[in-house]
Amino acid sequence: MNLTLQTERLILKPFTLNDAPRVVELANDPDLARTTLNIPYPYTIDSAKDWISKHPSQIEEESVYPFAIYNQQDNRLIGTMSIRPNHRHKRGEIAYWIGKDYWGQGFATEAAKRVIKFGSDELLLNKIWAMSLTDNPGSIKVMRKVGMKKEGTLIEHFYKDRKFLDVNVYGMSLR
């Protein structure tokens, strides 16, 4: 299976530990942490190395495929897009974040479309879904642009920073 994916402006490929400093540079942003469920602030080099070091076994086990998103123009890491397949139910969850300097430029949408195609063509999934904090309009926009429809809102579904957070769930059938 080819794990290097390409779009018009992007290259998506597995992370290496060499990416850790750039991951910290991008992820160590309070605005990014506020809009995601799993990124703490501050974000440390140890956090990045720990996260990246888990990827090879996750890919080998086919439990999650985390892709580093590189801008082809300058070959710089700008974010991540992952797909977590559930083979039994033939569905996959996508999750993503993009560095703040790259927000609003269509990079997440472009990467999501390519990872959805990977889920359909390579992983043979029937459905793709994603969730977003209800107060993250950028992520909701990405899900809508790739063709997902809102399936519902999970009230007080996550606990982060000493408060309960609501999430919207979006999905789409591939077949």
Side-chain angles (χ1 to χ4, degrees):
M1 179 180 311
N2 181 10
L3 294 180
T4 299
L5 312 177
Q6 195 163 344
T7 70
E8 182 180 325
R9 300 182 296 165
L10 306 172
I11 295 173
L12 290 79
K13 59 186 179 181
F15 283 89
T16 70
L17 284 175
N18 292 336
D19 294 317
R22 180 68 174 153
V23 168
V24 173
E25 187 180 332
L26 294 168
N28 193 33
D29 182 302
D31 291 331
L32 183 67
R34 182 186 52 74
T35 63
T36 61
L37 291 170
N38 297 314
I39 295 179
Y41 181 81
Y43 194 85
T44 66
I45 191 70
D46 288 338
S47 295
K49 287 178 178 177
D50 182 56
W51 179 64
I52 293 169
S53 69
K54 294 175 183 171
H55 294 177
S57 62
Q58 292 172 330
I59 292 168
E60 186 177 319
E61 295 164 1
E62 300 180 359
S63 62
V64 64
Y65 296 88
F67 293 98
I69 303 172
Y70 283 85
N71 184 342
Q72 284 191 46
Q73 187 175 27
D74 58 10
N75 200 34
R76 292 203 52 157
L77 177 67
I78 64 170
T80 183
M81 176 78 54
S82 65
I83 185 166
R84 181 179 303 274
N86 179 317
H87 296 288
R88 178 174 179 222
H89 297 291
K90 299 194 180 303
R91 66 175 180 247
E93 176 189 10
I94 62 168
Y96 46 89
W97 59 261
I98 300 290
K100 188 175 175 181
D101 290 347
Y102 303 94
W103 288 2
Q105 298 176 49
F107 291 121
T109 300
E110 191 172 325
K113 286 178 179 177
R114 184 60 185 94
V115 170
I116 289 167
K117 181 174 173 31
F118 172 79
S120 176
D121 296 353
E122 298 293 327
L123 303 178
L124 306 176
L125 302 175
N126 179 65
K127 179 180 180 172
I128 298 290
W129 69 282
M131 67 175 112
S132 172
L133 296 172
T134 55
D135 64 352
N136 185 347
S139 186
I140 292 167
K141 190 175 178 181
V142 169
M143 292 184 286
R144 289 181 176 155
K145 280 184 157 184
V146 300
M148 291 187 192
K149 304 282 188 234
K150 185 175 178 181
E151 295 184 350
T153 300
L154 304 176
I155 306 300
E156 297 183 352
H157 195 69
F158 289 101
Y159 189 73
K160 180 180 178 179
D161 299 330
R162 298 194 310 259
K163 60 185 171 190
F164 290 98
L165 303 172
D166 300 345
V167 293
N168 289 325
V169 177
Y170 279 73
M172 64 190 293
S173 292
L174 301 174
R175 309 270 181 244

